[in-house]
Amino acid sequence: MSTTVIILAAGKGTRMRSQLPKVLQPLAGQPLLGHVVETAKQLKARRIITIFGHGGAHVQNAFKEENIEWVEQKEQLGTGHAVQMTLPVLPTDGFSLILYGDVPLVSSETLNKLLEASQKTGIGMITLNVDEPTGYGRIVRSHGQIQAIVEHKDASEEQRQITEINTGIYCVENSKLHEWLPQLSNENAQGEYYLTDIVAMAVQDGLEIASIQPKLAYEVEGVNDRIQLANLERAFQRQQAIHLMREGVAFADPERFDLRGTLTTGQDVYIDINVIIEGHCEIGSNVEIGAGTILKDAKIASNTKIQPYTIIDNAVVGEKVIIGPFARLRPGTQLDNDVHIGNFVEVKNSHLEKGVKANHFTYLGDAEVGTESNIGAGTITCNYDGVNKHKTKIGSSAFIGSNSSLVAPISIGKGATVGAGSVITRDVPENTLAFERSQQIEKANYQRPQKTK
């Protein structure tokens, strides 16, 4: 079956109190509209038609890499009018899913169920039973079949007791949309064209209207203000944490965890509070992630311990590695097994082989460090000359004394030693001691400067 996804994304979002269009507000690190587009791609939709309005240039620019057909709704005349705008480009065959840019979390699983149900009848919709239906359109049924959608303000007292509501998400045969949409009328109190009127048209044509309900209620929750956005963020993050716990992850507090991407894990992973995962990360078994840690597009092998407030960005970490606290691994970093990276150590675009230790206040940029080498506190690789980056090579079992500066390009041989406080500008051969210091000067009876009163 050929599937088109129509996304309504023209709203201004006045209640967000933001210069950013509502559909670009972030949820789990991605614009609201981005979640809907990703779901459409998971469904392998033949076409994604997005209706834009307020802030259209910003919205289109944010998704310029996506294969989206853009249709403008110049006047905000209701949901029915928005979908009418797609008629010139809407296929006449197949089905369309009608979704919303500010209802970001409806799942592909739920939409596939809707597609399957709708094929049998030509039209289907998602409904939801809620405890407090006030303000929502009610689903009126007769002998179990949907007969109408009645808005709250138009509902009788009996109808207001109905707890099944309309979510606004539909799946309709495209030939029917071409037939029904031109018939919509705006002869109502609001002067708008309502998409819900196609339900009445379907009933009038004698069609049965299929319906399904989502697995999780938040899938059909919309966002109109920052309070709703925050509530939806927490609901989504809570569900992601529940999924990870089922996969063998233990959380200090699942309410204080953010996954802004995807994560695969082994068993017996422990994640402390306020950890943020971005992009796609992979974590092996028996890994500990300390409080306040940020991982982005990182691969962490088994039995590794990441101590609090560490940042790992586009880096690969081996087994039995200890990192942090307050360490930073920048893009291009590879740590082999048994490496120790301590507090306030930064590593960028460097490969540290098995057993390397850099435990304090060190910067290693554009470096290759051989097995079992020790990098003393305060050591830096001077990799940038103001224009170009240069490489530092340190052989296995080398010992770099504290507070040393290695001016790249430079090579420190296997088993070499660099004395503390040295500025090394020339290559050091294997098994050689190198140090560079000026003469020590002493002055007896030295009087320290005094503060001026």
Side-chain angles (χ1 to χ4, degrees), residues 95-110:
F95 280 74
S96 281
L97 285 164
I98 300 173
L99 309 178
Y100 301 85
D102 59 358
V103 182
L105 297 180
V106 60
S107 69
S108 57
E109 178 185 358
T110 294

Side-chain angles (χ1 to χ4, degrees), residues 159-402:
Q159 289 170 334
R160 289 186 178 186
Q161 303 308 308
I162 297 171
T163 59
E164 186 181 16
I165 65 167
N166 174 35
T167 68
I169 297 174
Y170 302 93
C171 181
V172 189
E173 197 169 359
N174 285 330
S175 60
K176 296 296 182 183
L177 286 175
H178 279 280
E179 177 184 343
W180 293 334
L181 288 173
Q183 299 179 42
L184 294 178
S185 169
N186 67 342
E187 294 181 3
N188 52 61
Q190 302 298 322
E192 294 185 351
Y193 297 87
Y194 293 125
L195 188 59
T196 52
D197 288 349
I198 67 173
V199 172
M201 294 177 186
V203 172
Q204 187 175 352
D205 289 351
L207 295 179
E208 179 184 340
I209 299 168
S211 69
I212 68 154
Q213 297 218 355
K215 183 178 180 181
L216 299 166
Y218 75 65
E219 291 186 48
V220 293
E221 287 186 19
V223 173
N224 291 307
D225 58 31
R226 295 188 185 275
I227 297 170
Q228 290 177 330
L229 180 61
N231 289 338
L232 193 56
E233 176 82 50
R234 290 323 322 151
F236 181 54
Q237 295 297 351
R238 188 179 306 114
Q239 192 59 38
Q240 293 195 107
I242 288 171
H243 170 75
L244 289 168
M245 286 188 283
R246 288 175 177 151
E247 295 294 313
V249 177
F251 288 95
D253 183 356
E255 296 293 329
R256 289 184 285 176
F257 166 74
D258 279 72
L259 174 54
R260 302 170 185 172
T262 57
L263 173 63
T264 61
T265 68
Q267 296 179 337
D268 298 308
V269 173
Y270 175 77
I271 298 179
D272 210 331
I273 62 170
N274 300 328
V275 169
I276 298 173
I277 310 288
E278 299 180 342
H280 175 67
C281 293
E282 299 176 15
I283 299 175
S285 297
N286 301 303
V287 173
E288 293 182 27
I289 310 293
T293 292
I294 299 174
L295 304 181
K296 180 178 180 181
D297 295 310
K299 293 183 178 180
I300 313 295
S302 297
N303 302 302
T304 283
K305 183 174 183 179
I306 300 172
Q307 301 193 88
Y309 304 104
T310 291
I311 299 175
I312 301 179
D313 181 3
N314 279 275
V316 178
V317 177
E319 293 190 2
K320 299 180 180 178
V321 172
I322 299 174
I323 305 172
F326 298 100
R328 183 183 182 194
L329 305 186
R330 292 171 58 191
T333 294
Q334 179 180 338
L335 306 184
D336 290 354
N337 298 346
D338 299 305
V339 168
H340 289 190
I341 297 294
N343 50 289
F344 303 103
V345 173
E346 179 179 350
V347 186
K348 187 271 295 184
N349 193 34
S350 297
H351 180 194
L352 278 58
E353 296 182 4
K354 187 176 187 296
V356 170
K357 292 180 174 60
N359 281 323
H360 322 276
F361 304 98
T362 291
Y363 171 67
L364 297 173
D366 300 293
E368 296 178 4
V369 184
T371 59
E372 305 297 335
S373 288
N374 186 88
I375 312 298
T379 294
I380 65 168
T381 55
C382 306
N383 58 324
Y384 183 51
D385 64 8
V387 179
N388 300 305
K389 299 291 181 68
H390 301 281
K391 185 169 284 293
T392 297
K393 296 183 178 181
I394 301 174
S396 60
S397 300
F399 183 94
I400 310 299
S402 298

Side-chain angles (χ1 to χ4, degrees), residues 416-432:
T417 300
V418 172
S422 296
V423 177
I424 302 299
T425 58
R426 298 191 303 271
D427 290 352
V428 179
E430 292 185 4
N431 302 310
T432 298

